[in-house]
Amino acid sequence: MGAKKVSICVVTYNQVNYIEKCIESIISQDYTGQIEVIVGDDCSTDGTRDLLINLKNKWPEVVKLVLHEKNVGPINNYFSVHNLATGEYIAHLDGDDYALPGKLSALAGFLDENLECNIVWHRMVILNELGQTALGMPVVPMSELTGKHRFYFADLAKFYGMTGCHSGSMYRRSAKRLSSYDQPTIDYYITLSFLKEGGYAAYIDQPFGVYRFFKQDQTLTRQKGAMYVGNAKLDFMHLMLSEHPELNRAFAAQALFEVFMRTYLRFPLKFAFLKLFFACRCIPKISDLLLIWRIFDSGRGKKLNAAFKNGYPLDE
C-alpha cells in the first residue's frame, strides 16, 4: 500500500442506526487516490461497536478502529482519530452523517488546484426526521451572501458558526496545529487554527454530503448543548481578543450575531455575548452588520422549512 492521499476521520457514539451508512458512503466513493477510514467509537452501548468490528473485518485494509474502553467525550474522541491520520488531506464525518458520490474527488481536487487553501467545505443536504430533504449548510451559498470565494482568518472570526458543516470539511494535514484542546467548542476553534499562520478557507457550493437534522434525535452536534458550547465559545473569543486585538471588529460582529441568534432561539448566554460585544470596544462596520443579518436571516426556521417543502433530490 502506498502513502495515503486522504484520511477520513469518523467519530461516533451510540449511532448503530447510522454508522454503517456513513462508512459505506465513504468506501463506495469513486476516487482513485489511496484512502484510510479511521473511526473513533466513544464507548457505545447500543451495538455500534460490534457493527464497526464487522465493517473492519469487511474492509481490513482501509478501516481502522479506535475503540475507547470508557467514555472520553466528543473532543478527545475527535483528536484520537485526527491525530492518527496519515493522509495528505484529512476529511471529517460525524457518524450520523454520510457522504454523497463525488465528495472525495471534489474536495481533494480543490485542494490540489488551490495550494494556499488550507481547509475547504462543501454544502450539505439536510435530512429531517420526516424524510424531507433541503439544500443547506448554509441554505443560501456563502459566495452569494458575501461575494467572497476565499475566507481568511478575520473572515472566519466574523462568519464561522453561521456557515459550514463539520462533516463537509477537508483540510491539509500540513496546516494542522492542534493535537488536543480542553474546551468543547471544537468546530470554531479548530477551524480558525488552520488559518492563524496564513492561507484561506473556501466553500464548494455543490452538496456532497447529508446532514441529519432530527429534532428528537441526539446527534453529536446537539449533544454539546447551547450552554456548554456557548460558555466555551465565550472563553475562546476572550482568549482570541487578547491574542489578536486587531480582530476586535471581527469578533464584535461575531458576538453580535450570537446575541441575535440566542435571542431568536431563546438560548441562554445572550447577555454574556452582549457583554463580550462591549468588551470589543468598537462597533462593527455597517456592511458587516448587514451581512451578518443576511446570513442569520437566510438560516432562520422559516427559510429552512420552505427549503424542506421544496425538497432536494438525493441522487445517491
Side-chain angles (χ1 to χ4, degrees), residues 92-93 97-100 103 122-127 134-139 164-169 204-212 312:
H92 178 86
L93 264 178
D97 301 329
Y98 64 93
L100 292 175
K103 173 188 175 79
H122 59 69
R123 291 175 80 193
M124 301 287 284
V125 176
I126 307 173
L127 173 66
L135 185 57
M137 308 296 279
V139 174
C165 180
H166 211 34
S167 290
S169 65
I204 296 174
D205 286 341
Q206 186 175 350
F208 286 105
V210 175
Y211 169 80
R212 298 183 193 272
Y312 186 86

Side-chain angles (χ1 to χ4, degrees), residues 52-303:
L52 286 173
I53 292 172
N54 290 337
L55 294 172
K56 163 69 175 176
N57 292 335
K58 186 176 181 179
W59 294 294
E61 300 299 321
V62 178
V63 177
K64 301 178 181 179
L65 300 182
V66 179
L67 304 177
H68 298 287
E69 295 303 324
K70 62 179 182 179
N71 188 267
V72 299
I75 297 172
N76 291 327
N77 195 21
Y78 172 94
F79 282 114
S80 74
V81 290
H82 282 258
N83 289 344
L84 291 177
T86 62
E88 179 181 356
Y89 306 144
I90 302 174
H92 178 86
L93 264 178
D94 288 345
D96 50 355
D97 301 329
Y98 64 93
L100 292 175
K103 173 188 175 79
L104 298 184
S105 295
L107 293 181
F110 188 94
L111 292 175
D112 282 341
E113 295 174 6
N114 297 273
L115 300 182
E116 294 183 9
C117 180
N118 285 345
I119 182 169
V120 59
W121 292 271
H122 59 69
R123 291 175 80 193
M124 301 287 284
V125 176
I126 307 173
L127 173 66
N128 68 14
E129 68 272 20
L130 301 176
Q132 297 174 311
T133 56
L135 185 57
M137 308 296 279
V139 174
V140 178
M142 280 298 290
S143 59
E144 181 179 328
L145 286 167
T146 66
K148 292 175 176 284
H149 294 278
R150 296 183 178 186
F151 297 84
Y152 294 90
F153 185 72
D155 295 318
L156 290 193
K158 185 165 45 185
F159 300 135
Y160 193 78
M162 311 174 214
T163 61
C165 180
H166 211 34
S167 290
S169 65
M170 182 182 287
Y171 64 87
R172 294 184 189 277
R173 185 161 61 93
S174 61
K176 183 173 181 283
R177 296 292 178 266
L178 295 175
S179 58
S180 63
Y181 189 55
D182 61 358
Q183 297 290 339
T185 179
I186 272 186
D187 304 6
Y188 191 58
Y189 186 80
I190 291 178
T191 299
L192 282 170
S193 74
F194 293 127
L195 305 185
K196 284 188 68 174
E197 298 176 17
Y200 64 87
Y203 288 85
I204 296 174
D205 286 341
Q206 186 175 350
F208 286 105
V210 175
Y211 169 80
R212 298 183 193 272
F213 184 75
F214 290 2
K215 294 179 181 179
Q216 302 301 321
D217 205 8
Q218 293 299 310
T219 63
L220 289 177
T221 301
R222 288 180 174 271
Q223 286 174 7
K224 298 174 185 177
M227 178 69 78
Y228 190 60
V229 173
N231 278 319
K233 191 170 184 179
L234 283 166
D235 290 342
F236 166 64
M237 291 177 73
H238 279 296
L239 172 64
M240 294 299 290
L241 278 171
S242 66
E243 294 180 349
H244 298 276
E246 74 279 6
L247 296 181
N248 60 339
R249 273 195 164 186
F251 280 104
Q254 176 68 208
L256 198 56
F257 164 75
E258 285 287 341
V259 175
F260 290 156
M261 183 271 290
R262 289 173 181 274
T263 300
Y264 173 72
L265 296 176
R266 299 181 181 179
F267 280 179
L269 301 176
K270 54 182 176 292
F271 293 112
F273 277 99
L274 185 61
K275 184 177 179 180
L276 174 63
F277 168 72
F278 288 120
C280 293
R281 298 180 181 275
C282 67
I283 299 296
K285 297 178 182 178
I286 296 299
S287 59
D288 286 344
L289 289 174
L290 291 174
L291 181 56
I292 284 176
W293 173 254
R294 288 184 63 200
I295 296 172
F296 171 70
D297 185 59
S298 73
R300 287 202 290 171
K302 64 179 183 180
K303 299 291 180 66

